[in-house]
Amino acid sequence: MKTVSLDTAGGYGDDDKYAEMMADFLCVNKTLEILLLNYFDCTDEGAKAFAASLKKNKTLQVLSLTQNSIGDDGAKALYRDCIYPKTKLEMKVSSC
């Protein structure tokens, strides 16, 4: 599997539990290239979990987190840990 899309208009909840589960999945996954998590109710904590996991994941090329509730702290973590050192990763982040 190279693409996973879990876009949802209703969200999975605002506690970042699912974002953290997906981040854990990225730590061990070796084939996923595109992960679309738009409207996923991800906050700064979820973004920080993704940032930590993407340090270990070398295959993901696109991560879309548009229309989530990621603030400055989460965006900084994603940039610092993922985009800047791993320039091949395309990241889409915006909040509603």
PDB file of all heavy atoms in Angstrom, residues 19-42:
ATOM      1  N   ALA A  19      -4.258  10.414  15.782  1.00  0.00           N
ATOM      2  CA  ALA A  19      -3.060  10.998  15.186  1.00  0.00           C
ATOM      3  C   ALA A  19      -1.813  10.316  15.755  1.00  0.00           C
ATOM      4  O   ALA A  19      -0.879   9.992  15.011  1.00  0.00           O
ATOM      5  CB  ALA A  19      -3.018  12.502  15.450  1.00  0.00           C
ATOM      6  N   GLU A  20      -1.813  10.071  17.048  1.00  0.00           N
ATOM      7  CA  GLU A  20      -0.670   9.399  17.672  1.00  0.00           C
ATOM      8  C   GLU A  20      -0.558   7.951  17.205  1.00  0.00           C
ATOM      9  O   GLU A  20       0.554   7.438  17.018  1.00  0.00           O
ATOM     10  CB  GLU A  20      -0.769   9.504  19.182  1.00  0.00           C
ATOM     11  CG  GLU A  20      -0.553  10.928  19.669  1.00  0.00           C
ATOM     12  CD  GLU A  20      -0.865  11.143  21.133  1.00  0.00           C
ATOM     13  OE1 GLU A  20      -1.209  10.171  21.836  1.00  0.00           O
ATOM     14  OE2 GLU A  20      -0.768  12.302  21.578  1.00  0.00           O
ATOM     15  N   MET A  21      -1.703   7.285  16.977  1.00  0.00           N
ATOM     16  CA  MET A  21      -1.663   5.914  16.453  1.00  0.00           C
ATOM     17  C   MET A  21      -1.077   5.908  15.046  1.00  0.00           C
ATOM     18  O   MET A  21      -0.264   5.036  14.712  1.00  0.00           O
ATOM     19  CB  MET A  21      -3.067   5.309  16.453  1.00  0.00           C
ATOM     20  CG  MET A  21      -3.576   4.961  17.830  1.00  0.00           C
ATOM     21  SD  MET A  21      -5.331   4.460  17.901  1.00  0.00           S
ATOM     22  CE  MET A  21      -5.498   3.327  16.571  1.00  0.00           C
ATOM     23  N   MET A  22      -1.468   6.868  14.208  1.00  0.00           N
ATOM     24  CA  MET A  22      -0.919   6.940  12.850  1.00  0.00           C
ATOM     25  C   MET A  22       0.568   7.278  12.895  1.00  0.00           C
ATOM     26  O   MET A  22       1.346   6.766  12.092  1.00  0.00           O
ATOM     27  CB  MET A  22      -1.677   7.980  12.021  1.00  0.00           C
ATOM     28  CG  MET A  22      -3.083   7.564  11.651  1.00  0.00           C
ATOM     29  SD  MET A  22      -3.174   5.983  10.760  1.00  0.00           S
ATOM     30  CE  MET A  22      -2.236   6.344   9.297  1.00  0.00           C
ATOM     31  N   ALA A  23       0.967   8.111  13.826  1.00  0.00           N
ATOM     32  CA  ALA A  23       2.383   8.444  13.976  1.00  0.00           C
ATOM     33  C   ALA A  23       3.184   7.200  14.360  1.00  0.00           C
ATOM     34  O   ALA A  23       4.274   6.959  13.822  1.00  0.00           O
ATOM     35  CB  ALA A  23       2.558   9.547  15.021  1.00  0.00           C
ATOM     36  N   ASP A  24       2.638   6.391  15.261  1.00  0.00           N
ATOM     37  CA  ASP A  24       3.304   5.135  15.629  1.00  0.00           C
ATOM     38  C   ASP A  24       3.431   4.214  14.418  1.00  0.00           C
ATOM     39  O   ASP A  24       4.463   3.563  14.213  1.00  0.00           O
ATOM     40  CB  ASP A  24       2.538   4.423  16.738  1.00  0.00           C
ATOM     41  CG  ASP A  24       2.646   5.124  18.076  1.00  0.00           C
ATOM     42  OD1 ASP A  24       3.545   5.979  18.239  1.00  0.00           O
ATOM     43  OD2 ASP A  24       1.817   4.827  18.958  1.00  0.00           O
ATOM     44  N   PHE A  25       2.382   4.168  13.599  1.00  0.00           N
ATOM     45  CA  PHE A  25       2.393   3.360  12.374  1.00  0.00           C
ATOM     46  C   PHE A  25       3.509   3.820  11.435  1.00  0.00           C
ATOM     47  O   PHE A  25       4.211   2.999  10.835  1.00  0.00           O
ATOM     48  CB  PHE A  25       1.025   3.464  11.693  1.00  0.00           C
ATOM     49  CG  PHE A  25       0.973   2.940  10.296  1.00  0.00           C
ATOM     50  CD1 PHE A  25       0.991   1.579  10.047  1.00  0.00           C
ATOM     51  CD2 PHE A  25       0.888   3.816   9.224  1.00  0.00           C
ATOM     52  CE1 PHE A  25       0.937   1.097   8.753  1.00  0.00           C
ATOM     53  CE2 PHE A  25       0.833   3.343   7.932  1.00  0.00           C
ATOM     54  CZ  PHE A  25       0.857   1.979   7.692  1.00  0.00           C
ATOM     55  N   LEU A  26       3.714   5.128  11.322  1.00  0.00           N
ATOM     56  CA  LEU A  26       4.752   5.652  10.435  1.00  0.00           C
ATOM     57  C   LEU A  26       6.157   5.266  10.889  1.00  0.00           C
ATOM     58  O   LEU A  26       7.063   5.168  10.069  1.00  0.00           O
ATOM     59  CB  LEU A  26       4.657   7.173  10.336  1.00  0.00           C
ATOM     60  CG  LEU A  26       3.529   7.718   9.483  1.00  0.00           C
ATOM     61  CD1 LEU A  26       3.508   9.235   9.544  1.00  0.00           C
ATOM     62  CD2 LEU A  26       3.662   7.251   8.048  1.00  0.00           C
ATOM     63  N   CYS A  27       6.324   5.046  12.185  1.00  0.00           N
ATOM     64  CA  CYS A  27       7.650   4.671  12.698  1.00  0.00           C
ATOM     65  C   CYS A  27       8.122   3.340  12.137  1.00  0.00           C
ATOM     66  O   CYS A  27       9.317   3.125  11.954  1.00  0.00           O
ATOM     67  CB  CYS A  27       7.621   4.581  14.221  1.00  0.00           C
ATOM     68  SG  CYS A  27       7.586   6.168  15.038  1.00  0.00           S
ATOM     69  N   VAL A  28       7.190   2.445  11.862  1.00  0.00           N
ATOM     70  CA  VAL A  28       7.569   1.105  11.425  1.00  0.00           C
ATOM     71  C   VAL A  28       7.258   0.830   9.957  1.00  0.00           C
ATOM     72  O   VAL A  28       7.752  -0.137   9.394  1.00  0.00           O
ATOM     73  CB  VAL A  28       6.885   0.022  12.298  1.00  0.00           C
ATOM     74  CG1 VAL A  28       7.355   0.137  13.728  1.00  0.00           C
ATOM     75  CG2 VAL A  28       5.376   0.116  12.221  1.00  0.00           C
ATOM     76  N   ASN A  29       6.442   1.682   9.328  1.00  0.00           N
ATOM     77  CA  ASN A  29       6.048   1.448   7.945  1.00  0.00           C
ATOM     78  C   ASN A  29       7.196   1.743   6.995  1.00  0.00           C
ATOM     79  O   ASN A  29       7.900   2.734   7.144  1.00  0.00           O
ATOM     80  CB  ASN A  29       4.839   2.316   7.590  1.00  0.00           C
ATOM     81  CG  ASN A  29       4.369   2.043   6.191  1.00  0.00           C
ATOM     82  OD1 ASN A  29       4.900   2.586   5.246  1.00  0.00           O
ATOM     83  ND2 ASN A  29       3.395   1.172   6.063  1.00  0.00           N
ATOM     84  N   LYS A  30       7.356   0.867   5.993  1.00  0.00           N
ATOM     85  CA  LYS A  30       8.456   1.010   5.034  1.00  0.00           C
ATOM     86  C   LYS A  30       7.968   1.196   3.594  1.00  0.00           C
ATOM     87  O   LYS A  30       8.772   1.251   2.683  1.00  0.00           O
ATOM     88  CB  LYS A  30       9.347  -0.235   5.089  1.00  0.00           C
ATOM     89  CG  LYS A  30       9.877  -0.556   6.462  1.00  0.00           C
ATOM     90  CD  LYS A  30      11.229   0.041   6.679  1.00  0.00           C
ATOM     91  CE  LYS A  30      11.883  -0.474   7.918  1.00  0.00           C
ATOM     92  NZ  LYS A  30      11.711   0.306   9.094  1.00  0.00           N
ATOM     93  N   THR A  31       6.646   1.282   3.388  1.00  0.00           N
ATOM     94  CA  THR A  31       6.138   1.361   2.019  1.00  0.00           C
ATOM     95  C   THR A  31       5.241   2.568   1.746  1.00  0.00           C
ATOM     96  O   THR A  31       5.109   2.967   0.596  1.00  0.00           O
ATOM     97  CB  THR A  31       5.334   0.095   1.659  1.00  0.00           C
ATOM     98  OG1 THR A  31       4.244  -0.036   2.563  1.00  0.00           O
ATOM     99  CG2 THR A  31       6.217  -1.144   1.726  1.00  0.00           C
ATOM    100  N   LEU A  32       4.641   3.156   2.755  1.00  0.00           N
ATOM    101  CA  LEU A  32       3.693   4.240   2.547  1.00  0.00           C
ATOM    102  C   LEU A  32       4.401   5.469   1.993  1.00  0.00           C
ATOM    103  O   LEU A  32       5.422   5.906   2.528  1.00  0.00           O
ATOM    104  CB  LEU A  32       2.987   4.590   3.859  1.00  0.00           C
ATOM    105  CG  LEU A  32       1.820   5.551   3.755  1.00  0.00           C
ATOM    106  CD1 LEU A  32       0.682   4.916   2.947  1.00  0.00           C
ATOM    107  CD2 LEU A  32       1.326   5.929   5.137  1.00  0.00           C
ATOM    108  N   GLU A  33       3.843   6.042   0.920  1.00  0.00           N
ATOM    109  CA  GLU A  33       4.419   7.234   0.308  1.00  0.00           C
ATOM    110  C   GLU A  33       3.548   8.466   0.484  1.00  0.00           C
ATOM    111  O   GLU A  33       4.054   9.577   0.537  1.00  0.00           O
ATOM    112  CB  GLU A  33       4.661   6.989  -1.181  1.00  0.00           C
ATOM    113  CG  GLU A  33       5.700   5.916  -1.445  1.00  0.00           C
ATOM    114  CD  GLU A  33       5.889   5.604  -2.914  1.00  0.00           C
ATOM    115  OE1 GLU A  33       5.207   6.230  -3.769  1.00  0.00           O
ATOM    116  OE2 GLU A  33       6.714   4.728  -3.223  1.00  0.00           O
ATOM    117  N   ILE A  34       2.228   8.279   0.561  1.00  0.00           N
ATOM    118  CA  ILE A  34       1.297   9.404   0.669  1.00  0.00           C
ATOM    119  C   ILE A  34       0.324   9.142   1.808  1.00  0.00           C
ATOM    120  O   ILE A  34      -0.332   8.107   1.842  1.00  0.00           O
ATOM    121  CB  ILE A  34       0.519   9.600  -0.647  1.00  0.00           C
ATOM    122  CG1 ILE A  34       1.490   9.880  -1.800  1.00  0.00           C
ATOM    123  CG2 ILE A  34      -0.497  10.729  -0.513  1.00  0.00           C
ATOM    124  CD1 ILE A  34       0.835   9.874  -3.168  1.00  0.00           C
ATOM    125  N   LEU A  35       0.219  10.102   2.730  1.00  0.00           N
ATOM    126  CA  LEU A  35      -0.704   9.994   3.854  1.00  0.00           C
ATOM    127  C   LEU A  35      -1.535  11.272   3.913  1.00  0.00           C
ATOM    128  O   LEU A  35      -1.008  12.367   4.109  1.00  0.00           O
ATOM    129  CB  LEU A  35       0.057   9.797   5.166  1.00  0.00           C
ATOM    130  CG  LEU A  35      -0.771   9.650   6.438  1.00  0.00           C
ATOM    131  CD1 LEU A  35      -1.762   8.486   6.332  1.00  0.00           C
ATOM    132  CD2 LEU A  35       0.146   9.465   7.634  1.00  0.00           C
ATOM    133  N   LEU A  36      -2.845  11.125   3.699  1.00  0.00           N
ATOM    134  CA  LEU A  36      -3.760  12.260   3.687  1.00  0.00           C
ATOM    135  C   LEU A  36      -4.646  12.198   4.922  1.00  0.00           C
ATOM    136  O   LEU A  36      -5.458  11.287   5.066  1.00  0.00           O
ATOM    137  CB  LEU A  36      -4.624  12.223   2.419  1.00  0.00           C
ATOM    138  CG  LEU A  36      -3.846  12.090   1.100  1.00  0.00           C
ATOM    139  CD1 LEU A  36      -4.801  11.906  -0.061  1.00  0.00           C
ATOM    140  CD2 LEU A  36      -2.932  13.287   0.887  1.00  0.00           C
ATOM    141  N   LEU A  37      -4.466  13.150   5.815  1.00  0.00           N
ATOM    142  CA  LEU A  37      -5.210  13.192   7.075  1.00  0.00           C
ATOM    143  C   LEU A  37      -5.876  14.562   7.237  1.00  0.00           C
ATOM    144  O   LEU A  37      -5.692  15.259   8.233  1.00  0.00           O
ATOM    145  CB  LEU A  37      -4.270  12.916   8.254  1.00  0.00           C
ATOM    146  CG  LEU A  37      -3.581  11.560   8.259  1.00  0.00           C
ATOM    147  CD1 LEU A  37      -2.576  11.471   9.389  1.00  0.00           C
ATOM    148  CD2 LEU A  37      -4.592  10.438   8.353  1.00  0.00           C
ATOM    149  N   ASN A  38      -6.653  14.947   6.251  1.00  0.00           N
ATOM    150  CA  ASN A  38      -7.341  16.230   6.290  1.00  0.00           C
ATOM    151  C   ASN A  38      -8.587  16.121   7.167  1.00  0.00           C
ATOM    152  O   ASN A  38      -9.229  15.083   7.202  1.00  0.00           O
ATOM    153  CB  ASN A  38      -7.705  16.659   4.875  1.00  0.00           C
ATOM    154  CG  ASN A  38      -6.478  16.694   3.987  1.00  0.00           C
ATOM    155  OD1 ASN A  38      -5.445  17.224   4.371  1.00  0.00           O
ATOM    156  ND2 ASN A  38      -6.574  16.111   2.806  1.00  0.00           N
ATOM    157  N   TYR A  39      -8.902  17.195   7.879  1.00  0.00           N
ATOM    158  CA  TYR A  39     -10.046  17.208   8.801  1.00  0.00           C
ATOM    159  C   TYR A  39      -9.934  16.086   9.836  1.00  0.00           C
ATOM    160  O   TYR A  39     -10.901  15.436  10.171  1.00  0.00           O
ATOM    161  CB  TYR A  39     -11.372  17.070   8.043  1.00  0.00           C
ATOM    162  CG  TYR A  39     -11.641  18.172   7.068  1.00  0.00           C
ATOM    163  CD1 TYR A  39     -11.330  18.032   5.727  1.00  0.00           C
ATOM    164  CD2 TYR A  39     -12.224  19.356   7.500  1.00  0.00           C
ATOM    165  CE1 TYR A  39     -11.583  19.051   4.832  1.00  0.00           C
ATOM    166  CE2 TYR A  39     -12.482  20.376   6.605  1.00  0.00           C
ATOM    167  CZ  TYR A  39     -12.159  20.224   5.274  1.00  0.00           C
ATOM    168  OH  TYR A  39     -12.411  21.230   4.385  1.00  0.00           O
ATOM    169  N   PHE A  40      -8.760  15.847  10.337  1.00  0.00           N
ATOM    170  CA  PHE A  40      -8.480  14.700  11.203  1.00  0.00           C
ATOM    171  C   PHE A  40      -8.497  15.069  12.683  1.00  0.00           C
ATOM    172  O   PHE A  40      -8.205  14.251  13.533  1.00  0.00           O
ATOM    173  CB  PHE A  40      -7.110  14.121  10.811  1.00  0.00           C
ATOM    174  CG  PHE A  40      -6.882  12.708  11.221  1.00  0.00           C
ATOM    175  CD1 PHE A  40      -7.597  11.680  10.648  1.00  0.00           C
ATOM    176  CD2 PHE A  40      -5.936  12.401  12.167  1.00  0.00           C
ATOM    177  CE1 PHE A  40      -7.376  10.368  11.015  1.00  0.00           C
ATOM    178  CE2 PHE A  40      -5.703  11.080  12.538  1.00  0.00           C
ATOM    179  CZ  PHE A  40      -6.424  10.075  11.972  1.00  0.00           C
ATOM    180  N   ASP A  41      -8.824  16.309  13.016  1.00  0.00           N
ATOM    181  CA  ASP A  41      -8.835  16.802  14.400  1.00  0.00           C
ATOM    182  C   ASP A  41      -7.470  16.700  15.071  1.00  0.00           C
ATOM    183  O   ASP A  41      -7.363  16.456  16.270  1.00  0.00           O
ATOM    184  CB  ASP A  41      -9.884  16.079  15.250  1.00  0.00           C
ATOM    185  CG  ASP A  41     -11.299  16.506  14.909  1.00  0.00           C
ATOM    186  OD1 ASP A  41     -11.466  17.614  14.369  1.00  0.00           O
ATOM    187  OD2 ASP A  41     -12.224  15.737  15.179  1.00  0.00           O
ATOM    188  N   CYS A  42      -6.445  16.874  14.305  1.00  0.00           N
ATOM    189  CA  CYS A  42      -5.073  16.830  14.821  1.00  0.00           C
ATOM    190  C   CYS A  42      -4.728  18.199  15.409  1.00  0.00           C
ATOM    191  O   CYS A  42      -4.992  19.227  14.806  1.00  0.00           O
ATOM    192  CB  CYS A  42      -4.131  16.474  13.677  1.00  0.00           C
ATOM    193  SG  CYS A  42      -2.422  16.272  14.167  1.00  0.00           S
TER     194      CYS A  42
END
